[in-house]
Amino acid sequence: MNSVTCDLTVSLDGFVAGPNQSLAEPLGEGGEDLHRWMFEEPEANAAAIKGILQAGAFIMGRNMFAGPGPGPWPENWRGWWGEEPPYHAPVFVLTHHPRPPLEMQGGTTFNFVADGIEAALARAREAAAGKDVAIAGGARTVQQFLSAGLIDELRLHTSPLILGGGERLMDGIRNVTLEPTEVSGTSLVTHVRYRLVR
């Protein structure tokens, strides 16, 4: 069976997005700086970058697709990933406001799932055709999957940055044991792979 992985960049104080997320700043104030390692040191971090996008299907929360806010999206809103998102695979978006699938350029199709994380995972496993399924984020989505014991490997990319607020990754997580299996990094990031101990 395909494994379930999760890659997230997190600040030293535990946030995956800064405060005051908006359409202009989808990662909140200072959140874009978390990902400097991908763009300023791509060769040194090539293995980690490749690992983020090698899954056969992805799952994300509604805010990661196109939040913020709890209401339905305007019908013409296609998310904030641009016309050719980086996934190039099926993406399953958790939402309370289902809509028809949204086909983008480059092979990414956003599918909207309104019946919970288990249903999204079942659909993603089928779509992944034997490849891994990646939980792409955001914080609340990862919290749900971690708390349910549904992530096999958590890969945290820690940026030496203090955000001071925003979306904290581990809020509300209880009774989860993670075992580090690999550590690497550069001046802009520390990569740690964790195995979920069951």
Side-chain angles (χ1 to χ4, degrees):
M1 182 181 289
N2 34 20
S3 293
V4 180
T5 65
C6 177
D7 281 90
L8 285 177
T9 299
V10 62
S11 67
L12 280 178
D13 51 347
F15 296 98
V16 296
N20 303 314
Q21 287 177 282
S22 66
L23 292 180
E25 290 191 271
L27 289 176
E29 295 169 4
E32 291 286 336
D33 290 339
L34 288 171
H35 303 280
R36 287 179 51 209
W37 64 274
M38 291 181 179
F39 305 104
E40 295 180 25
E41 297 179 333
E43 291 181 12
N45 294 293
I49 293 169
K50 180 181 178 184
I52 291 171
L53 295 173
Q54 69 184 3
F58 297 83
I59 298 172
M60 68 175 57
R62 65 156 281 125
N63 280 358
M64 189 167 176
F65 166 69
W73 301 290
E75 286 187 24
N76 62 346
W77 179 232
R78 296 172 62 82
W80 47 31
W81 290 97
E83 286 302 309
E84 188 171 348
Y87 300 103
H88 308 292
V91 178
F92 296 87
V93 180
L94 298 169
T95 180
H96 295 296
H97 304 281
R99 60 187 278 186
L102 182 59
E103 293 186 19
M104 309 295 281
Q105 295 176 25
T108 299
T109 299
F110 291 108
N111 303 275
F112 301 90
V113 182
D115 44 357
I117 63 171
E118 289 86 0
L121 182 56
R123 291 181 61 188
R125 282 191 192 280
E126 184 177 355
K131 293 185 177 180
D132 289 349
V133 172
I135 311 303
R140 286 185 217 122
T141 297
V142 175
Q143 289 161 8
Q144 290 179 68
F145 278 91
L146 268 179
S147 294
L150 296 175
I151 292 177
D152 299 305
E153 184 176 61
L154 177 64
R155 301 187 288 229
L156 290 185
H157 313 284
T158 304
S159 169
L161 175 70
I162 304 291
L163 287 178
E167 293 289 325
R168 191 183 298 274
L169 177 59
M170 293 298 181
D171 278 358
I173 301 295
R174 301 285 183 273
N175 302 318
V176 172
T177 302
L178 298 168
E179 177 185 5
T181 61
E182 183 181 322
V183 179
S184 62
T186 68
S187 63
L188 292 179
V189 65
T190 301
H191 309 290
V192 184
R193 298 170 78 116
Y194 294 93
R195 178 180 67 86
L196 188 72
V197 179
R198 295 187 171 90

